[in-house]
Amino acid sequence: MNNITGNPAFALELNELTVRYGPGCPSCGESPESLDRNRCPVCGSVWAVRGVSLRAREGETLGIVGESGSGKSTLMRALHLDEAPTSGAYFLDGGEENLFGVSPRRRRYIRDSLLGMVYQNPYLGLRMFFSSGANVAEKLIAAGSRNVRGMTERAEYLFRYMEIPFSRVKEPPRNFSGGMQQRVQIAKAVANNPPVLLLDEVTTGLDLSVQARVLDLIKRVQREFGVTMIVVSHDLAVVRLLADRTAVMRDGVIIEQGLTDRILEDPRHVYTQTLVNSML
């Protein structure tokens, strides 16, 4: 891991993240141009993410777009500290602690208190056979809360904020529609007021009307909670609505990034132009 320290101007900073599956070899390690897209034809290693650097200011929303297999989900797992990187450095709130090098105990604290994660598949983010209220309480307990009354009041506030009837707090998420499951996920993710919220394809598979409600809720959460958000989507319309800046990924690398309006209205890279044209 490198020892570059964080920049205090940024809420989130990622420097030269690489995630490789496989042993690597001189052919792919020293000559990335030899890769067949992101796979080494010599040793078979897959470079899922390669030298990715990102920065997001406090309260900013950064969009990540790209086709399936571009490395977006691996990047998000690394940001949530669920994926051990091959190399790189990761800082929050301008700190000097490289989060990729922390102990397992410290990693759990960071995930429970400083990061919120909303998955495309609610089954990854929720315990479907626990009550919805217990799902929110689980996040609060993980961060050290032990006051039952306080946790109940927090769950009630969040359920009403997310437009979930509090009368359903004892029902398990498996009883809910896909859109409501996502709202429970968001409630759980922001339960401890984390400074950074990670959203991975959260509207994929939802009906258009449900998508619109979930996206409206996400915009409200960002605006009123002041959270920094990283939003991954293959849907450029979602990124246009949510993101201040956008990075485009292909084969594990970022090929273009900038203000969202500029990326979508004047794309420079041929691949980005193809993505934008496919949306028209």
Side-chain angles (χ1 to χ4, degrees):
M1 306 294 177
N2 68 50
N3 295 314
I4 300 172
T5 57
N7 187 321
F10 297 100
L12 179 151
E13 184 172 4
L14 185 67
N15 293 322
E16 295 293 327
L17 170 66
T18 293
V19 179
R20 185 190 69 233
Y21 302 122
C25 69
S27 177
C28 60
E30 298 172 7
S31 304
E33 63 274 5
S34 68
L35 295 177
D36 180 9
R37 300 200 67 172
N38 64 348
R39 183 179 182 277
C40 176
V42 177
C43 68
S45 296
V46 174
W47 296 73
V49 177
R50 191 156 38 98
V52 166
S53 296
L54 294 171
R55 291 174 170 179
R57 297 184 184 277
E58 182 178 348
E60 183 179 40
T61 299
L62 175 64
I64 311 289
V65 299
E67 64 189 359
S68 177
S70 62
K72 305 188 306 296
S73 292
T74 301
L75 170 62
M76 289 295 268
R77 289 196 300 271
L79 290 176
H80 196 236
L81 302 180
D82 292 327
E83 183 84 43
T86 304
S87 62
Y90 178 26
F91 307 97
L92 291 179
D93 197 25
E96 298 184 356
E97 178 182 46
N98 180 1
L99 303 187
F100 289 144
V102 300
S103 67
R105 181 176 180 179
R106 177 67 174 160
R107 190 183 310 125
R108 286 193 297 272
Y109 166 79
I110 293 165
R111 280 200 301 249
D112 292 332
S113 302
L114 304 181
L115 298 170
M117 180 75 172
V118 183
Y119 298 88
Q120 174 183 343
N121 183 352
Y123 278 77
L124 297 177
L126 298 172
R127 296 182 184 269
M128 287 295 174
F129 291 89
F130 285 25
S131 73
S132 297
N135 271 277
V136 173
E138 179 184 37
K139 185 76 170 178
L140 295 166
I141 291 169
S145 180
R146 296 295 183 268
N147 185 301
V148 174
R149 180 177 178 181
M151 287 189 288
T152 301
E153 290 176 349
R154 180 63 174 165
E156 181 174 5
Y157 167 77
L158 288 170
F159 271 52
R160 297 195 189 285
Y161 190 94
M162 305 297 168
E163 300 177 358
I164 304 168
F166 191 66
S167 59
R168 304 192 68 178
V169 69
K170 294 184 178 181
E171 287 190 55
R174 63 189 172 93
N175 290 359
F176 295 166
S177 66
M180 192 174 290
Q181 287 175 352
Q182 290 298 57
R183 296 204 298 276
V184 175
Q185 260 211 102
I186 296 170
K188 181 176 181 178
V190 301
N192 294 316
N193 289 315
V196 175
L197 184 61
L198 308 172
L199 302 138
D200 190 5
E201 300 277 11
V202 294
T203 60
T204 299
L206 301 178
D207 292 340
L208 289 177
S209 60
V210 178
Q211 282 188 34
R213 290 186 65 188
V214 171
L215 290 172
D216 183 65
L217 174 61
I218 291 170
K219 284 179 65 70
R220 188 155 60 96
V221 166
Q222 193 281 328
R223 183 174 63 250
E224 297 178 10
F225 284 59
V227 66
T228 301
M229 298 199 308
I230 310 296
V231 178
V232 161
S233 182
H234 68 277
D235 188 339
L236 294 181
V238 169
V239 171
R240 181 189 290 274
L241 181 67
L242 296 178
D244 303 301
R245 291 187 302 112
T246 296
V248 183
M249 288 192 73
R250 188 186 190 196
D251 297 336
V253 299
I254 289 179
I255 59 171
E256 185 170 3
Q257 60 180 311
L259 294 174
T260 299
D261 287 344
R262 202 279 298 165
I263 291 288
L264 296 182
E265 294 173 11
D266 184 26
R268 310 287 169 79
H269 196 281
V270 173
Y271 175 72
T272 310
Q273 293 169 4
T274 301
L275 283 180
V276 171
N277 289 336
S278 69
M279 184 182 71
L280 300 177

